[in-house]
Structures are given as C-alpha cells and as structure tokens.
Amino acid sequence: MNKITIMSTPPCPQCQSEYVYQDQANLVCPECAYEWNPVDSGEDEALNVKDANGTLLQEGDKVTLAKDLKVKGSSLVLKIGTKALIRRIVEGKDHQLDCKVDGAGEMMVTAQFVKKA
C-alpha cells in the first residue's frame, strides 16, 4: 500500500486564515492575499499598519488626521487635517503610531484615524 502524507501549512500570519496554499517556494493566503516564504526568518518582518484608506504606513511618513480626535485626559481636540509625522510603528490594538502631531507634541495615534499625506 502507498502511504499518502498530507503536508499541513501554517495559518496566515496576517489574518490567521487556515486556507493557505503553496505556490512554488511561497505560501499564499487566498483571504487577504498575503504571500510569504516560510523559509525566511521572521526577524526582519515589519509591522504592517494601514491608514483609513488602506495605504501601508511606514516610519517617517507624513499623515493627516481623517477625523476630529479628543485627547484622553485633556480637553484638547485635534481637528481633521492636522498634520503629524510617524516616528515609529508599534504593535498594539489601540494605538499603533507614535507620532509628532503639529501643535500637540508627541502622542500615540490609532492608524485607522489618519491618512497618508
């Protein structure tokens, strides 16, 4: 009898989908279209953070606020269109962007409330 071995693939690192398939040397997720090489180490893997329009953000990008935002613990309101500079991107559920906001200084901002300038 012939033995059939089923090779299991890891879930997608982006969306955790279990429907990953192999395409040559890469693995592909059909749900979010993320492709990666399973042989590559995850050391150089950067965080993928997207703005309100779905544009990928990187450290050093200039962004504008997409809506008015209240600053926690303060009566300050950041108005729509306020410019900010992304100093670094951090992993987190609430606030992913460490920014220097014009007129307000350094603060953490949620990526879904900004647009790349």
Side-chain angles (χ1 to χ4, degrees), residues 71 76-79 82-85 100-107:
V71 178
L76 180 65
V77 175
L78 300 174
K79 297 293 183 182
T82 302
K83 296 179 183 178
L85 175 69
K100 182 175 182 186
V101 181
D102 289 353
E106 301 272 335
M107 64 181 56

Side-chain angles (χ1 to χ4, degrees), residues 51-53 57 62-66 80 111 113-117:
D51 69 1
N53 295 329
L57 297 173
K62 293 179 182 179
V63 294
T64 58
L65 296 182
I80 188 171
F113 299 129
V114 299
K115 290 190 250 182
K116 192 169 180 179

Side-chain angles (χ1 to χ4, degrees), residues 63-74:
V63 294
T64 58
L65 296 182
K67 65 179 269 184
D68 290 349
L69 298 175
K70 294 180 184 178
V71 178
K72 287 183 182 177
S74 164

Side-chain angles (χ1 to χ4, degrees), residues 1-92:
M1 283 193 234
N2 291 337
K3 286 188 176 182
I4 299 175
T5 55
I6 298 175
M7 193 168 130
S8 66
T9 57
C12 175
Q14 293 287 5
C15 69
Q16 302 305 317
S17 171
E18 60 186 42
Y19 302 110
V20 174
Y21 64 90
Q22 188 165 359
D23 183 21
Q24 305 215 354
N26 289 334
L27 294 177
V28 181
C29 175
E31 292 186 17
C32 70
Y34 182 67
E35 294 184 26
W36 74 100
N37 188 334
V39 177
D40 291 345
S41 64
E43 295 173 13
D44 299 332
E45 190 173 313
L47 293 174
N48 290 327
V49 177
K50 295 182 180 180
D51 69 1
N53 295 329
T55 306
L56 194 62
L57 297 173
Q58 297 177 355
E59 294 177 4
D61 283 347
K62 293 179 182 179
V63 294
T64 58
L65 296 182
K67 65 179 269 184
D68 290 349
L69 298 175
K70 294 180 184 178
V71 178
K72 287 183 182 177
S74 164
S75 61
L76 180 65
V77 175
L78 300 174
K79 297 293 183 182
I80 188 171
T82 302
K83 296 179 183 178
L85 175 69
I86 300 174
R87 299 180 70 92
R88 65 188 178 111
I89 297 175
V90 296
E91 188 172 354

